[in-house]
């Protein structure tokens, strides 16, 4: 009987130690997460998201261009209509779970968030994207696909 009690105490101590270790590591992860949130988005940008940097012309409407800049700004322009110009920001979504809306599952696709006119738009970068072709899948309600070619 003494062996069973001793084994029970050892198991409780090990379980308590494991619980303490787990909760302590979770606190550290949260603190690290807060620090990362304060870091510039460009520091967390993947190579895939970095491919978006540049000026792109719509394949469907040659008057529409979108320019992604390294500093995290984006500009949409429409030739012949200055009032249609929209300036905003863009970033890579690192963790879709923390976004204020539920996004559809996109597997391992890189997700971009654009803020234009105070509204957030989410796009997944398609695997069809190349150095000279940018294909964005709108993760909003319609799920339409936007294709662009790089403007030299």
């Amino acid at each position: 009987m003494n062996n069973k009690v001793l084994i029970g105490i050892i198991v409780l101590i090990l379980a308590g130690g494991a619980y303490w270790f787990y909760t302590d590591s979770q606190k550290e992860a949260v603190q690290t997460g807060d620090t990362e949130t304060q870091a510039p988005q460009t520091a967390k940008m993947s190579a895939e998201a970095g491919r978006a940097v540049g000026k792109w012309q719509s394949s469907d409407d040659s008057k529409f261009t979108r320019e992604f800049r390294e500093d995290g700004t984006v500009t949409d322009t429409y030739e012949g209509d200055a009032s249609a110009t929209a300036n905003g920001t863009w970033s890579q979504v690192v963790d879709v779970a923390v976004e204020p809306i539920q996004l559809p599952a996109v597997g391992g696709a890189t997700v971009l968030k654009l803020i234009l006119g105070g509204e957030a738009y989410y796009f997944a970068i398609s695997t069809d994207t190349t150095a000279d072709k940018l294909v964005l899948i709108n993760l909003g309600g319609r799920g339409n696909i936007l294709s662009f070619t790089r403007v030299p």
Side-chain angles (χ1 to χ4, degrees):
M1 190 73 162
N2 272 343
N3 277 344
K4 289 183 180 179
V5 171
L6 184 60
I7 290 173
I9 291 172
I10 291 172
V11 168
L12 284 174
I13 290 172
L14 288 174
Y19 175 77
W20 174 81
F21 180 77
Y22 174 77
T23 57
D24 193 51
S25 67
Q26 292 300 311
K27 289 178 189 173
E28 189 175 313
V30 168
Q31 290 171 351
T32 303
D34 290 345
T35 303
E36 288 178 10
T37 301
Q38 296 168 357
Q41 288 294 330
T42 53
K44 295 190 287 185
M45 189 182 307
S46 69
E48 186 70 20
R51 293 170 88 182
V53 173
K55 190 170 187 177
W56 301 90
Q57 182 176 45
S58 172
S59 300
D60 297 323
D61 185 347
S62 62
K63 292 183 177 185
F64 175 67
T65 59
R66 175 168 285 162
E67 184 173 5
F68 294 94
R69 293 182 202 81
E70 286 184 36
D71 67 358
T73 59
V74 62
T75 301
D76 283 358
T77 56
Y78 195 82
E79 184 182 320
D81 186 359
S83 68
T85 298
N87 293 301
T89 60
W90 74 282
S91 60
Q92 178 180 354
V93 175
V94 177
D95 182 3
V96 296
V98 299
E99 292 302 313
I101 65 165
Q102 185 174 359
L103 297 170
V106 292
T110 298
V111 176
L112 302 181
K113 178 181 183 178
L114 280 67
I115 307 287
L116 294 164
E119 296 216 21
Y121 301 92
Y122 296 87
F123 297 93
I125 298 178
S126 169
T127 56
D128 294 336
T129 295
T130 65
D132 295 320
K133 178 181 175 184
L134 177 63
V135 181
L136 301 176
I137 302 166
N138 186 343
L139 299 178
R142 298 186 302 170
N144 56 322
I145 297 174
L146 305 175
S147 289
F148 298 90
T149 54
R150 188 177 294 277
V151 175

